[in-house]
Amino acid sequence: MSKKQNAPIQNQEDENQNWYSSWFDTPYYHILYKDRNYREAQVFMDNLTHYLNLPEKAKVLDLACGKGRHSIYLNQLGYDVLGADLSENSITEASKNSNETLHFKVHDMREPFEEKFDAIFNLFTSFGYFESDDDNLTTLKAIKESLSEYGFAVIDFMNVPNVIENLVPEETKTVDEIDFHIKRYVEDGHIFKEIDFEDQGRKYHFTEKVKALTLKDFQDLMDEAGIFLLDIFGDYKLKKFHKTESERLIMIFK
């Protein structure tokens, strides 16, 4: 690819795609977030599966699984795991790890599954992306419909009051020699992250936009969906939730 000083900006925000269906499908998404703490995530999985007391070989759905790192770990713990994600590229990559008890498929989380699961995990703020607020309710209903009679679901979301209080308005992260210029702000009930960078002579612009859902918002949605919220935790060690100090909002429901 030839380098051009005034190359056009490659902007994901075309008329036919939502931001998440294109941004998550690019290699740059995985480059930017490659330094996430996966050991911490594995501790979270250990704590969560122990708390839920899942039966041996339980059927687990990792909803919005990305490239499947957590699906793979859950499978290593002995569970029969399906990883589902909207990103075809991520599922193609994840599927390289498939085995008899680990499978992956492209799936829109707004649609329920025909099969039923003993546990459904929606991890690391993989909720609230949709343009229509109605889709958040639709997703919760789909999760409920996909649970077995004795199944549990978990949503691990950012704790919005804490995030807003500690929001870093601007920063630059350099990963694999790419300078990602990041701006964050709150607008119209959403938390935005604008990401600009240049690679091989091309300029790119992506926007992440997540609904700033609080515990009260989730409670209202769950009431409407006929869901029972069973427990709430504030971090990956499953400590008690504090509405302003906790980093995470982890909800167990059925």
Side-chain angles (χ1 to χ4, degrees):
M1 193 182 296
S2 61
K3 291 195 174 185
K4 298 180 182 178
Q5 290 293 15
N6 298 312
I9 293 177
Q10 304 298 305
N11 193 320
Q12 105 299 340
E13 296 166 354
D14 63 43
E15 295 177 0
N16 300 315
Q17 280 194 308
N18 294 305
W19 69 263
Y20 48 86
S21 58
S22 49
W23 171 223
F24 292 165
D25 229 10
T26 73
Y28 298 110
Y29 170 80
H30 299 286
I31 291 171
L32 176 58
Y33 294 118
K34 68 188 293 185
D35 61 348
R36 281 178 167 167
N37 189 333
Y38 288 106
R39 179 61 200 141
E40 181 183 54
Q42 289 179 350
V43 169
F44 180 34
M45 295 299 94
D46 290 339
N47 292 334
L48 201 52
T49 53
H50 183 263
Y51 169 82
L52 293 174
N53 194 25
L54 295 179
E56 188 178 353
K57 300 181 180 178
K59 292 190 67 173
V60 176
L61 172 62
D62 182 10
L63 192 59
C65 68
K67 288 188 175 181
R69 188 180 294 254
H70 307 106
S71 299
I72 294 166
Y73 185 69
L74 286 164
N75 182 240
Q76 290 170 351
L77 292 177
Y79 302 115
D80 185 343
V81 181
L82 173 64
D85 200 281
L86 194 62
S87 167
E88 292 186 14
N89 287 344
S90 292
I91 291 299
T92 298
E93 188 67 26
S95 294
K96 295 175 182 177
N97 301 283
S98 297
N99 60 47
E100 288 184 2
T101 56
L102 176 61
H103 302 91
F104 296 93
K105 71 180 294 184
V106 176
H107 184 85
D108 188 318
M109 67 169 64
R110 290 169 288 192
E111 299 289 334
F113 286 79
E114 288 186 14
E115 55 191 304
K116 305 299 181 186
F117 298 91
D118 300 305
I120 298 176
F121 296 157
N122 178 247
L123 306 172
F124 307 107
T125 310
S126 301
F127 193 93
Y129 295 155
F130 305 112
E131 290 300 317
S132 169
D133 290 344
D134 292 341
D135 286 337
N136 295 321
L137 179 61
T138 300
T139 299
L140 284 175
K141 288 180 177 178
I143 291 173
K144 180 189 176 187
E145 288 179 37
S146 303
L147 282 172
S148 66
E149 184 180 357
Y150 301 105
F152 297 95
V154 180
I155 289 180
D156 161 36
F157 201 70
M158 61 182 167
N159 183 26
V160 165
N162 181 271
V163 168
I164 291 175
E165 177 69 24
N166 296 285
L167 203 67
V168 178
E170 292 190 34
E171 68 171 322
T172 298
K173 289 184 65 176
T174 302
V175 188
D176 290 358
E177 299 183 349
I178 299 174
D179 295 328
F180 293 93
H181 304 286
I182 300 168
K183 293 182 179 180
R184 300 179 181 88
Y185 56 92
V186 182
E187 186 176 286
D188 296 332
H190 292 78
I191 296 174
F192 286 82
K193 183 188 289 184
E194 304 277 356
I195 304 163
D196 290 277
F197 58 95
E198 186 171 338
D199 185 41
Q200 294 183 299
R202 287 192 175 187
K203 294 180 178 179
Y204 295 84
H205 173 82
F206 292 95
T207 303
E208 293 183 9
K209 175 185 174 184
V210 181
K211 181 78 172 176
L213 294 164
T214 63
L215 174 58
K216 175 66 164 58
D217 294 324
F218 274 107
Q219 287 172 325
D220 290 344
L221 284 167
M222 288 179 180
D223 284 346
E224 193 171 348
I227 282 170
F228 298 100
L229 181 57
L230 303 174
D231 219 337
I232 309 164
F233 299 108
D235 66 14
Y236 294 145
K237 295 179 180 177
L238 302 189
K239 291 182 180 176
K240 185 178 178 181
F241 176 76
H242 187 284
K243 66 179 183 179
T244 56
E245 294 175 11
S246 293
E247 293 182 359
R248 308 300 301 172
L249 170 59
I250 299 166
M251 296 163 286
I252 318 289
F253 60 93
K254 65 179 306 173

